[in-house]
Amino acid sequence: EAGVTQSPTHLIKTRGQQATLRCSPISGHTSVYWYQQALGLGLQFLLWYDEGEERNRGNFPPRFSGRQFPNYSSELNVNALELEDSALYLCASSLVGLAGGRSYNEQFFGPGTRLTVL
Amino acid sequence: KQEVTQIPAALSVPEGENLVLNCSFTDSAIYNLQWFRQDPGKGLTSLLLIQSSQREQTSGRLNASLDKSSGRSTLYIAASQPGDSATYLCAVRPPDTGTASKLTFGTGTRLQVTL
């Protein structure tokens, strides 16, 4: 079974540009989560999508946005890039989002996209 | 606000030693706790998940325990190997209220197993 995939592996942008990061969840998973891992700051929750809708977002400015497509893949968009946006962006997926029913809600992570803003 | 702390921040042990990594969290109202490993510059690999109703989980040489009331979890690694060298992260998930499915991560323990 294929795991969570992310593209591109690396992305280099200049300040003020826009970046688009992509994530494909494990087949059958409906929830997708985005996390930012900046140097020295640890892993911070960014966004959670389930069944095509944004369910929760972390403490990030509105220029961080995204969407989830009908096939449950997801995009993270970062507008007006700033130097401090340089980080490893990790995507995770899980089987259950809002609905209960299943006991286990384990999140499985992709390899990440390394975004460098110059 | 949930805060997760991991001690020690870094650990170096000789091959073959048994070791314990610690994770503490401030809010005991959690849904589950996950342990991950992260190799440098890479994504996260899920090691173990413990539901709030469970006390421990085992996978191979790894054993994770959870004491929810005291806000603590430990990851025990038996007979450590150089391949175990990585950063180990714990993360807690709040009760599934429908709007709070995010994980709160600890700061990590960087483990080096030497020959």
Side-chain angles (χ1 to χ4, degrees):
Chain A
E1 178 184 286
V4 178
T5 59
Q6 292 186 246
S7 63
T9 304
H10 294 92
L11 190 57
I12 299 175
K13 294 283 185 179
T14 56
R15 203 167 45 178
Q17 285 188 315
Q18 179 197 38
T20 298
L21 289 65
R22 296 178 177 83
C23 172
S24 291
I26 291 172
S27 178
H29 285 191
T30 60
S31 275
V32 170
Y33 312 81
W34 288 95
Y35 294 86
Q36 182 198 64
Q37 189 176 34
L39 197 61
L41 292 180
L43 268 154
Q44 304 289 327
F45 167 75
L46 258 170
L47 290 160
W48 167 34
Y49 290 96
D50 181 70
E51 296 287 358
E53 293 190 25
E54 183 181 303
R55 301 299 185 181
N56 197 10
R57 68 180 291 129
N59 189 25
F60 283 84
R63 56 191 187 80
F64 286 84
S65 65
R67 53 181 173 167
Q68 187 178 33
F69 299 99
N71 66 354
Y72 302 113
S73 67
S74 176
E75 253 180 24
L76 174 68
N77 295 294
V78 188
N79 295 319
L81 284 166
E82 300 178 2
L83 296 178
E84 52 265 34
D85 296 333
S86 295
L88 180 67
Y89 288 84
L90 294 169
C91 170
S93 73
S94 72
L95 185 60
V96 176
L98 278 180
R102 297 290 290 266
S103 300
Y104 296 94
N105 213 317
E106 190 171 0
Q107 293 188 19
F108 296 88
F109 283 75
T113 292
R114 172 75 61 187
L115 172 63
T116 302
V117 182
L118 303 174
Chain B
K1 177 189 171 186
Q2 179 74 270
E3 291 183 2
V4 183
T5 305
Q6 291 185 246
I7 295 173
L11 181 63
S12 181
V13 300
E15 182 181 13
E17 270 203 10
N18 303 324
L19 58 102
V20 175
L21 307 181
N22 297 292
C23 171
S24 60
F25 44 96
T26 55
D27 185 350
S28 62
I30 65 169
Y31 185 75
N32 62 37
L33 183 146
Q34 265 183 277
W35 281 94
F36 298 89
R37 72 171 276 169
Q38 185 176 31
D39 294 287
K42 305 293 184 182
L44 305 182
T45 300
S46 180
L47 297 173
L48 290 163
L49 179 145
I50 310 178
Q51 294 294 102
S52 61
S53 57
Q54 297 175 322
R55 299 284 285 184
E56 65 178 304
Q57 283 285 339
T58 298
S59 176
R61 295 183 293 110
L62 305 179
N63 176 277
S65 68
L66 174 64
D67 183 344
K68 200 175 73 161
S69 61
S70 67
R72 292 179 186 174
S73 176
T74 61
L75 179 67
Y76 175 83
I77 302 177
S80 59
Q81 303 171 357
D84 294 332
S85 298
T87 295
Y88 290 80
L89 296 156
C90 69
V92 297
R93 179 194 158 125
D96 193 1
T97 62
T99 60
S101 194
K102 64 180 184 179
L103 294 178
T104 300
F105 282 85
T107 46
T109 294
R110 191 170 67 253
L111 172 66
Q112 184 174 11
V113 181
T114 57
L115 293 169

